[in-house]
Amino acid sequence: MKRSVTILGAGLSGALMAIYLARQGRHVQVLERRPDLRKVDMDAGRSINLALADRGIHALRGAGVFEDAEPLLIPMRGRTLHAPDGSLTFAPYGQRPHEVIHSVSRPGLNRVLLDHAQRHYGIEPRFLQAARTLDFERDELVMLDEVSGNPYTQPLAPLIAADGAGSIVRRAMTGQLGVRVVEDMLEHGYKELTLPAGRDGSHRIERNALHIWPRGGFMLIALPNIDGSFTVTLFLALKGGAESFAALDSRKTIDAFFARHFQDIVPLMPGLAREFLENPVGRMGTVHADAWSAGEAAVLLGDAAHAIVPFHGQGMNACFEDCLELDRLLRSAGDWKSVFDTFFQLRKPDTDAIAAMALENFLEMRDTVRDPKFMLRKELSFELERRHPDRFIPRYSMVMFHHEIPYRVAFERGRVQSEVLSRLTTTADSVVDIPTAQIDALVTELLDPLPVSPAGGH
């Protein structure tokens, strides 16, 4: 008989993993410390709109839940870059019709997953259940029912810890098992704001794009919502001079900062200063752990194992890919310990790779996109993909549109491809300036054929 599984956390990873386990015929218990988000609103300023890409869609399809989520999605075909003078430049993400990413509300998607788990599999998460202590030696999990105020104890094994970047399970593994963890926090924070819909409910800037105001050391982005609004997020240094959150402490300093750097959006956000002062500053960081499991007792999943910064739009997608991989391993039998060990060995190189790429993308989004050579290299990368589809797929495309290409392959090939693009554009001002013979020779010399079909995972 299949053992009952406890999932700690009813967020995106926990809810999707519960569906996968239920599809296997396993009994699943889901415990969540927060209240049911289907009945209460999330804290203001803490949502960060998510970008759902091919990897996440593939995992949702595998769980039979994508059709439920699809009505929440807004396709974004590229980046609209807003210069300080108000001029706009559009940079497409890909060059094929399916090569888009999708803006989606975190709480909206979470509700869909929880509703699907309840409706199809009878999974009833228990909310306001806070993990207090874990004892791996005794196989005990001590919980506090915050509704009744009563503590209770239950066996650990097997526990799937989907309890987020601040995971209590990971901290217990560090304290009791000596697991080494590095939490590398950025010196930048974020603050969420709202660009409201027009009076008729329409989007007041381009709906099907991710908007970026790159300003070197900081940036503003905006993602569309289905109600016509945009979630606007400012990424800025926490402290250090006038261009920092520490300095923006009054309506006067806030209004002056936005007028100085983001003049085109100010008229569209009448409640800007008030909302800025009301909403919290969020922190961002990368979590690296040298082990994700405690024997057969517990395994870390998603952000609990490998939280990353949000600048590649892959945090959720990587977590969903975790669920898909863990489901596959559990279906192939084996004891829980061997499954958990194999899960770590397979996923760790990929999650390390996307963590590194997410940090690199922060620099690209806030600064590199302003370089004229950036657009030239972007155009050239599409040309190389057309000429050599078996050898060259832009790194961004490998990450976002090709679930069949592991993150680590995208990362490794991306470094070589960056060298190719740099060498070909050093003295060129346009793609037509680069001899095709030179292009073909360099690509053939430096890039082996891709280890998988370049047809695309869509």
Side-chain angles (χ1 to χ4, degrees), residues 59-252:
L60 291 174
R61 289 191 193 280
V65 74
F66 178 68
E67 288 185 359
D68 291 359
E70 200 166 9
L72 301 180
L73 308 182
I74 297 179
M76 299 182 294
R77 307 194 180 283
R79 302 165 172 167
T80 294
L81 307 175
H82 295 246
D85 64 3
S87 62
L88 305 178
T89 304
F90 181 74
Y93 285 134
Q95 56 182 331
R96 300 182 178 91
H98 73 274
E99 292 182 340
V100 300
I101 61 177
H102 303 270
S103 176
V104 64
S105 154
R106 178 192 296 273
L109 182 54
N110 210 158
R111 290 185 192 104
V112 163
L113 294 173
L114 292 172
D115 286 346
H116 187 95
Q118 183 175 3
R119 185 170 65 251
H120 291 276
Y121 303 105
I123 296 172
E124 300 273 4
R126 295 177 61 194
F127 295 94
L128 296 171
Q129 307 297 306
R132 283 293 175 251
T133 60
L134 295 88
D135 190 320
F136 294 110
E137 190 172 330
R138 294 185 178 183
D139 186 31
E140 285 184 351
L141 171 63
V142 179
M143 302 290 299
L144 175 66
D145 184 335
E146 294 185 346
V147 179
S148 67
N150 296 324
Y152 59 95
T153 302
Q154 66 176 54
L156 266 176
L159 174 73
I160 296 177
D163 55 338
S167 172
I168 190 173
V169 180
R170 190 182 71 243
R171 297 190 190 286
M173 290 168 58
T174 300
Q176 297 176 41
L177 306 177
V179 172
R180 288 177 296 175
V181 176
V182 175
E183 298 180 13
D184 188 11
M185 303 303 294
L186 280 187
E187 294 181 356
H188 283 67
Y190 71 90
K191 185 172 292 245
E192 288 197 347
L193 306 163
T194 306
L195 193 164
R199 289 184 178 180
D200 60 354
S202 63
H203 293 83
R204 298 169 73 191
I205 56 178
E206 171 56 43
R207 177 180 187 268
N208 297 115
L210 188 154
H211 295 261
I212 306 178
W213 289 256
R215 298 296 183 263
F218 56 95
M219 68 176 177
L220 194 72
I221 69 169
L223 278 77
N225 297 310
I226 56 177
D227 66 358
S229 68
F230 283 78
T231 299
V232 177
T233 308
L234 174 65
F235 296 96
L236 183 67
L238 294 167
K239 55 188 178 181
E243 318 293 11
S244 70
F245 280 117
L248 302 182
D249 57 358
S250 68
R251 286 179 179 270
K252 181 179 179 180

Side-chain angles (χ1 to χ4, degrees), residues 218 234 236 242-243 248 253-262:
F218 56 95
L234 174 65
L236 183 67
E243 318 293 11
L248 302 182
T253 56
I254 294 164
D255 287 341
F257 175 80
F258 276 83
R260 189 162 62 249
H261 296 294
F262 311 113

Side-chain angles (χ1 to χ4, degrees), residues 357-376:
M357 288 188 284
L359 286 166
E360 289 178 4
N361 218 43
F362 183 30
L363 179 61
E364 176 178 305
M365 290 175 71
R366 76 185 201 216
D367 195 8
T368 311
V369 292
R370 304 186 302 167
D371 181 350
K373 289 284 189 181
F374 172 81
M375 297 302 293
L376 173 59

